[in-house]
């Protein structure tokens, strides 16, 4: 486990090195919100500057977060961007275009994004929900829409001198054994027997790993990408009144005692640990492939990427700050060419939806 003192040192270095432009999708609640609050707390009045774009639906929640953050860092900029439904790629495109325009107006030639944390999703227990664009809604929140954010914002991410860090919060490391992996059905089409929460999780994690690896390769020296499993964090996700009755009942009984059975990660710690993933321990892939350094300035080991190479730009992290050892899981998938297949599948989905078609692949 990376201790909290090291996390604090990394985060403090991050906010004191240069002004930061940050985007949080799903920043109006839960883990995204805790990370924004953590960023503001580390920055305080002594950081080098912040411009934070908060993307979500709940304007009231966003205003409360912004007013709290301004009390801690009164001269910094926090901007709410209202989104209607981020499971739709055309809505993702609209938000990205808005960010691009705002950055151009605010920063001109220095328009950029230094860090982007994506945590938008809903907790869903039912059958497959197909969006009007032809994607499974859960998979879209967790994979397609997040990859679309990165793709559309790549010019701004590549303009960062930090260099840029992208973090996706979901289930890194939970794909071991590939439960319910369906190699010929990446979109998980079919009936209730085909679709399950576990299949969805495996597909999202595997597809994220391969897509991140490709982006890391194409954006060497520019963009680092990390997928994190945050552990159990008590967020509003669990107390949504639209959850099925059985889940609400179980949660009411179990939540007061759940910490006896498994660790519950406090909100403040979660925010700090997510921010830590934007530090030097997770560098973009080196252009030369020759890593002459093995530790950060703080003495932390450079993380090993999902392809088994240290500092190769695409990371799978547990909430403790430890890297998941996922090498073995991917051996058969690499052998069967899933890196190419997933890249092609995802970009075909993007192209079809951009043309206004319903994706059927
Ligand atoms: N909490 C945990 O213990 C835990 C454990 C493992 C993994 N995770 C993962 O961590 C991520 C964040 O979870 P969380 O617990 O922080 O959830 P949360 O508190 O419910 O926050 C979810 C965020 O997503 C946004 N969102 C939901 N539906 C949306 C939609 N249709 N369009 C746009 N934005 C939408 C929400 O915006 P509004 O509030 O503005 O509507 C909110 O900002 C998820 O990917 C989850 O799977 C969480």
């Amino acid at each position: 486990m990376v201790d909290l003192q090291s996390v604090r040192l990394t985060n403090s270095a991050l906010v004191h090195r240069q002004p930061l432009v940050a985007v949080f999708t799903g920043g109006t609640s839960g883990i995204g919100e805790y990370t924004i609050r953590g960023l503001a707390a580390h920055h305080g009045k002594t950081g080098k500057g912040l411009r934070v774009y908060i993307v979500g639906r709940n304007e009231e929640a966003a205003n409360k977060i912004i007013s709290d953050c301004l009390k801690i860092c009164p001269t910094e900029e926090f901007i709410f961007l209202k989104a209607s439904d981020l499971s739709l790629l055309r809505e993702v495109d609209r938000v990205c275009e808005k960010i691009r325009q705002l950055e151009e107006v605010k920063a001109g030639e220095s328009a950029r994004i230094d860090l982007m944390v994506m945590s938008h999703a809903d907790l869903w227990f039912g059958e497959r929900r197909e969006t009007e664009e032809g994607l499974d809604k859960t998979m879209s929140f967790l994979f397609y829409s997040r990859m679309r954010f990165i793709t559309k914002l790549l010019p701004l991410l590549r303009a960062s001198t930090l260099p840029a860090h992208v973090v996706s919060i979901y289930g890194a490391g939970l794909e071991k054994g590939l439960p319910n992996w369906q190699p010929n059905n990446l979109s998980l089409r079919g009936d209730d027997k085909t679709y399950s929460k576990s299949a969805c999780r495996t597909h999202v994690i595997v597809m994220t790993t391969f897509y991140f690896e490709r982006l890391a390769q194409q954006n060497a020296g520019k963009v680092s990408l990390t997928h994190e499993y945050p552990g159990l964090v008590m967020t509003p996700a669990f107390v949504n009144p639209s959850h099925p009755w059985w889940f609400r009942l179980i949660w009411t009984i179990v939540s007061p005692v759940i910490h006896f059975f498994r660790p519950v990660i406090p909100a403040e710690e979660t925010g700090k640990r997510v921010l830590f993933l934007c530090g030097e321990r997770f560098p973009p892939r080196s252009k030369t492939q020759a890593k002459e350094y093995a530790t950060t300035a703080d003495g932390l080991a450079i993380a090993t990427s999902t392809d088994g190479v240290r500092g190769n730009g695409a990371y799978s992290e547990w909430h403790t700050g430890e890297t998941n050892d996922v090498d073995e899981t991917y051996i058969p998938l690499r052998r069967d060419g899933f890196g190419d297949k997933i890249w092609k599948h995802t970009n075909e989905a993007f192209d079809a939806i951009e043309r206004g078609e319903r994706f059927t692949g």
Side-chain angles (χ1 to χ4, degrees):
M1 154 123 57
V2 175
D3 62 83
L4 277 173
Q5 178 58 10
S6 301
V7 169
R8 259 183 237 113
L9 279 174
T10 298
N11 293 349
S12 177
L14 180 69
V15 295
H16 288 100
R17 193 177 307 133
Q18 62 168 77
L20 295 172
V21 179
V23 173
F24 290 86
T25 69
T28 44
S29 173
I31 295 166
E33 171 185 346
Y34 308 153
T35 311
I36 296 170
R37 290 181 183 278
L39 177 62
H42 277 292
H43 184 281
K45 290 181 179 133
T46 60
K48 285 275 165 59
L50 285 181
R51 182 162 50 255
V52 177
Y53 295 98
I54 303 174
V55 184
R57 293 176 302 183
N58 187 337
E59 192 160 2
E60 205 183 321
N63 288 339
K64 170 84 174 86
I65 297 164
I66 292 173
S67 100
D68 290 349
C69 289
L70 286 173
K71 284 179 197 145
I72 309 168
C73 24
T75 56
E76 308 317 318
E77 241 182 316
F78 296 86
I79 301 150
F80 175 55
L81 296 176
K82 195 171 172 62
S84 56
D85 182 357
L86 291 180
S87 69
L88 295 174
L89 302 195
R90 65 160 185 275
E91 179 65 352
V92 172
D93 288 1
R94 189 192 64 77
V95 172
C96 290
E97 179 54 20
K98 188 78 197 159
I99 293 172
R100 196 194 61 74
Q101 285 170 2
L102 282 169
E103 259 310 282
E104 225 161 63
V105 171
K106 287 176 182 296
E109 285 189 359
S110 317
R112 68 186 187 285
I113 295 169
D114 301 305
L115 38 124
M116 176 155 80
V117 175
M118 296 180 290
S119 61
H120 59 281
D122 65 357
L123 186 56
W124 178 249
F125 301 92
E127 70 283 4
R128 189 179 191 277
R129 301 168 288 176
E130 179 145 314
T131 69
E132 61 204 62
E133 295 175 335
L135 302 172
D136 167 51
K137 192 169 172 115
T138 301
M139 285 186 73
S140 185
F141 277 132
L142 298 166
F143 175 71
Y144 298 98
S145 127
R146 296 185 186 190
M147 301 310 120
R148 185 69 176 179
F149 263 110
I150 304 171
T151 307
K152 291 306 262 189
L153 294 174
L154 257 181
L156 289 174
L157 290 163
R158 288 178 59 89
S160 169
T161 53
L162 189 59
H165 285 72
V166 172
V167 178
S168 180
I169 310 292
Y170 180 51
L174 300 180
E175 75 276 43
K176 281 183 188 158
L178 297 175
N180 293 307
W181 169 243
Q182 295 174 37
N184 298 318
N185 184 16
L186 290 179
S187 304
L188 289 178
R189 299 187 190 282
D191 55 21
D192 283 359
K193 287 192 198 95
T194 313
Y195 190 82
S196 66
K197 209 165 168 49
S198 130
C200 189
R201 187 172 58 211
T202 300
H203 278 231
V204 165
I205 302 171
V206 167
M207 289 162 82
T208 299
T209 298
F210 280 119
Y211 209 81
F212 271 12
E213 286 184 4
R214 189 61 64 96
L215 286 170
Q217 187 188 3
Q218 292 181 350
N219 296 281
K222 298 282 185 191
V223 185
S224 152
L225 305 113
T226 300
H227 178 192
E228 192 219 28
Y229 171 66
L232 177 61
V233 188
M234 294 301 197
T235 70
F238 297 105
V239 290
N240 189 330
S242 63
H243 286 334
W245 67 267
W246 56 264
F247 179 81
R248 283 183 281 130
L249 179 67
I250 292 172
W251 191 249
T252 308
I253 296 164
V254 163
S255 58
V257 293
I258 202 163
H259 59 280
F260 289 121
F261 305 103
R262 55 176 295 184
V264 175
I265 319 302
E268 201 184 327
E269 178 174 339
T270 296
K272 287 182 181 151
R273 287 195 178 277
V274 173
L275 205 53
F276 171 75
L277 303 172
C278 301
E280 287 182 329
R281 189 174 190 210
F282 307 96
R285 188 183 178 118
S286 159
K287 279 185 184 151
T288 58
Q289 284 286 292
K291 276 266 169 296
E292 46 316 310
Y293 58 92
T295 56
T296 66
D298 300 334
L300 288 170
I302 297 292
T304 298
S305 302
T306 44
D307 59 4
V309 179
R310 190 180 284 252
N312 227 13
Y315 306 95
S316 165
E317 296 297 307
W318 204 241
H319 61 87
T320 53
E322 287 155 313
T323 299
N324 298 309
D325 183 3
V326 291
D327 250 14
E328 290 229 336
T329 305
Y330 286 90
I331 291 171
L333 299 174
R334 290 186 201 284
R335 187 196 55 218
D336 294 343
F338 273 97
D340 288 339
K341 284 180 194 169
I342 286 164
W343 181 257
K344 187 167 172 277
H345 163 90
T346 310
N347 294 334
E348 279 173 4
F350 289 173
D351 291 345
I353 291 166
E354 206 167 309
R355 289 192 300 269
E357 294 165 15
R358 196 182 181 102
F359 180 60
T360 53

